[in-house]
Amino acid sequence: MAKAINANHKHIEDVFKLIKNTEKAGMLTHSKLDGLTGISGLMTVGLLQRLAKQLAKEKNICYLEIGVFQGLTLVATALAAPNLPCFGIDNFATLDPEEKNKTIVRNRLHEFNAKNATLIDSDFEEALEGLNDYLGAKKVGVFFIDGPHDYRSQLVCLMLIKPYLHERAVIVVDDANYPDVRWSTKDFLLGHPEFKLLFDAYSPAHPANMTSREKEKHRCGWLNGIHVLIRDQEDILPKMFPPTNAGERKLYLNEWLAHRLRMAEMAPESLRLADAICTNNKPADKLSRRALKNKYEKNKDRLNLLFDDRNVFSKDLPLSRFNLI
């Protein structure tokens, strides 16, 4: 038992040192990385690289990420640990208005000769539910979450990966500035005390709302925030949770109130119009009205079948059932 505790303690200290080294030196340089671009903070990339190199010493272990975008973290990590199988899951359903990111990723995997990297072209939930089909007997040593940042998606990533995690697995959660991300991490930790928050970092705003100087500063750091979770079954670390406040819980109450409305899926367009109306921004008002109307016209036949409010989508659900032996 003492040996197990000592091994776990050493692992926690090793990961702590890797984080400190990353904060000093940032991303690991590599001559082959010239021209590789993406939207992750360089310290985030550097930490993934160091974790992959460290855990590559274990047998039957791999790196896995949710959200590949244009391949920055997948390629950079694969090149830093060339003997470690690296997998990236993405179906490129978001952040890809020109539908070019899948091609960019495939080209970069070839261009940078990242032979140990594999793109899993799939919805992340479907891939995680059948992860053995892709990983075989391998366990995930480094798990990077950078997919959809809504509360449920974040929590699903944390929940579904559990059976596939190596005993010394490290989970890195990107974009921790978002309340949805902070709350999902906190709730996961509350329900799974064998995991601890080892490190978190935040920036004062989303990069989209920073000045160019601020953006460059935080791009060289953790950019839009980060959580690092580690398994601690011996309870060596004290409990620590991401900062949250009760006021943010109203976001989830509003989410329920909005989702039951007939026009729920048009909420983003509706809020942009509301903003333009309330601020008397006439150009934005005109554009927002047009966008809202266009989306409604495309979907009105289906939307008009719904109730004005309290849509619960339970029509086809069973009235009752048993789970029989």
Side-chain angles (χ1 to χ4, degrees), residues 248-288:
E248 291 171 339
R249 293 172 61 184
K250 293 180 181 178
L251 294 173
Y252 304 105
L253 175 61
N254 287 339
E255 197 172 274
W256 169 68
L257 293 172
H259 283 179
R260 67 192 204 180
L261 297 175
R262 184 164 66 94
M263 299 290 191
E265 66 185 74
M266 300 175 64
E269 292 81 5
S270 301
L271 290 173
R272 291 189 183 96
L273 176 58
D275 192 324
I277 292 172
C278 292
T279 59
N280 198 31
N281 187 334
K282 293 183 179 179
D285 185 325
K286 184 177 180 180
L287 290 173
S288 299

Side-chain angles (χ1 to χ4, degrees), residues 211-224:
T211 65
S212 57
R213 179 176 293 182
E214 290 172 333
K215 187 173 181 178
E216 180 57 26
K217 172 186 174 182
H218 291 286
R219 187 187 73 85
C220 293
W222 303 108
L223 198 57
N224 195 40

Side-chain angles (χ1 to χ4, degrees), residues 92-111:
F92 305 96
T94 58
L95 296 176
D96 193 14
E98 299 178 13
E99 298 183 352
K100 63 181 182 179
N101 286 346
K102 185 191 302 185
T103 300
I104 290 175
V105 171
R106 293 195 185 282
N107 288 343
R108 284 180 170 176
L109 291 177
H110 175 74
E111 176 186 351

Side-chain angles (χ1 to χ4, degrees), residues 25-34 46 49-50 53 76 79-80:
M27 183 175 169
L28 294 179
T29 58
H30 195 299
S31 60
K32 293 182 178 179
L33 293 179
D34 292 342
Q49 292 174 310
R50 288 175 174 86
K53 289 184 68 175
L79 293 181

Side-chain angles (χ1 to χ4, degrees), residues 6-22 47 50-51 53-55 57-58 168 170 198 228 230 237:
N6 290 338
N8 186 50
H9 201 156
K10 183 179 184 304
H11 174 57
I12 292 173
E13 289 182 341
D14 287 344
V15 175
F16 178 81
K17 289 176 183 177
L18 292 180
I19 296 171
K20 296 297 290 183
N21 289 340
T22 300
L47 178 59
R50 288 175 174 86
L51 288 170
K53 289 184 68 175
Q54 177 80 6
L55 292 173
K57 302 170 186 176
E58 303 281 347
R168 292 192 177 89
V170 179
L198 180 64
V228 179
I230 195 164
L237 292 168

Side-chain angles (χ1 to χ4, degrees), residues 133-315:
D133 293 341
Y134 303 101
L135 305 188
K138 299 179 187 67
K139 291 293 186 179
V140 177
V142 184
F143 183 47
F144 180 48
I145 304 175
D146 191 21
H149 297 308
D150 62 281
Y151 175 85
R152 181 183 176 276
S153 293
Q154 291 287 140
L155 194 57
V156 163
C157 286
L158 291 166
M159 295 287 287
L160 293 186
I161 197 60
K162 279 189 61 187
Y164 305 100
L165 290 177
H166 188 270
E167 62 181 1
R168 292 192 177 89
V170 179
I171 300 173
V172 179
V173 182
D174 205 10
D175 291 285
N177 274 4
Y178 284 116
D180 306 75
V181 176
R182 288 183 278 110
W183 277 95
S184 61
T185 295
K186 179 180 178 180
D187 291 346
F188 175 78
L189 292 170
L190 285 169
H192 301 83
E194 69 273 24
F195 290 90
K196 297 288 180 58
L197 179 64
L198 180 64
F199 175 78
D200 59 350
Y202 308 95
S203 55
H206 189 281
N209 298 317
M210 293 179 180
T211 65
S212 57
R213 179 176 293 182
E214 290 172 333
K215 187 173 181 178
E216 180 57 26
K217 172 186 174 182
H218 291 286
R219 187 187 73 85
C220 293
W222 303 108
L223 198 57
N224 195 40
I226 191 172
H227 293 158
V228 179
L229 281 61
I230 195 164
R231 195 192 297 271
D232 180 23
Q233 292 180 327
E234 286 76 31
D235 206 25
I236 294 170
L237 292 168
K239 292 181 180 179
M240 184 172 81
F241 301 103
T244 56
N245 66 74
E248 291 171 339
R249 293 172 61 184
K250 293 180 181 178
L251 294 173
Y252 304 105
L253 175 61
N254 287 339
E255 197 172 274
W256 169 68
L257 293 172
H259 283 179
R260 67 192 204 180
L261 297 175
R262 184 164 66 94
M263 299 290 191
E265 66 185 74
M266 300 175 64
E269 292 81 5
S270 301
L271 290 173
R272 291 189 183 96
L273 176 58
D275 192 324
I277 292 172
C278 292
T279 59
N280 198 31
N281 187 334
K282 293 183 179 179
D285 185 325
K286 184 177 180 180
L287 290 173
S288 299
R289 286 178 188 273
R290 185 184 306 155
L292 187 65
K293 187 67 174 176
N294 288 343
K295 187 168 184 178
Y296 172 71
E297 289 297 328
K298 290 180 181 178
N299 297 281
K300 65 179 180 181
D301 291 343
R302 177 171 49 81
L303 294 174
N304 288 340
L305 295 175
L306 301 177
F307 300 105
D308 290 342
D309 193 1
R310 282 79 158 193
N311 288 283
V312 293
F313 306 101
S314 61
K315 180 181 178 181

